[in-house]
Amino acid sequence: MPTYDFKCLECGHLFTEFVALKDKDKVSCPSCGGKVSQRFTGFLYTRKGGDGSSSSAGSGCSGGSCSGCSGCH
């Protein structure tokens, strides 16, 4: 079961909850019972290349230019 980050639209409470994808829209604020919106947080994805090197989607091409980024080529 995945973990999702939420923010209450009524009291502003931030919280994380383990919830099934099909039940994500049924989550309410644990503080006030209000409606919530899902927050999208950053993540880090790492894959191992065939040559033994690894690349990360969480690093590299920030700043709008890929000239110095080995992950885009």
Side-chain angles (χ1 to χ4, degrees):
M1 195 166 5
T3 302
Y4 296 98
D5 293 324
F6 295 96
K7 180 178 182 179
C8 180
L9 298 173
E10 296 178 33
C11 73
H13 180 67
L14 300 174
F15 64 99
T16 301
E17 188 156 331
F18 290 105
V19 64
L21 180 62
K22 65 182 179 86
D23 295 328
K24 190 170 61 167
D25 59 340
K26 298 176 186 174
V27 174
S28 60
C29 178
S31 293
C32 74
K35 291 185 178 191
V36 299
S37 66
Q38 182 182 351
R39 298 181 65 224
F40 293 97
T41 56
F43 66 93
L44 177 64
Y45 169 75
T46 303
R47 71 181 162 102
K48 188 148 185 139
D51 62 353
S53 65
S54 63
S55 63
S56 266
S59 63
C61 299
S62 60
S65 172
C66 287
S67 63
C69 175
S70 62
C72 295
H73 303 285

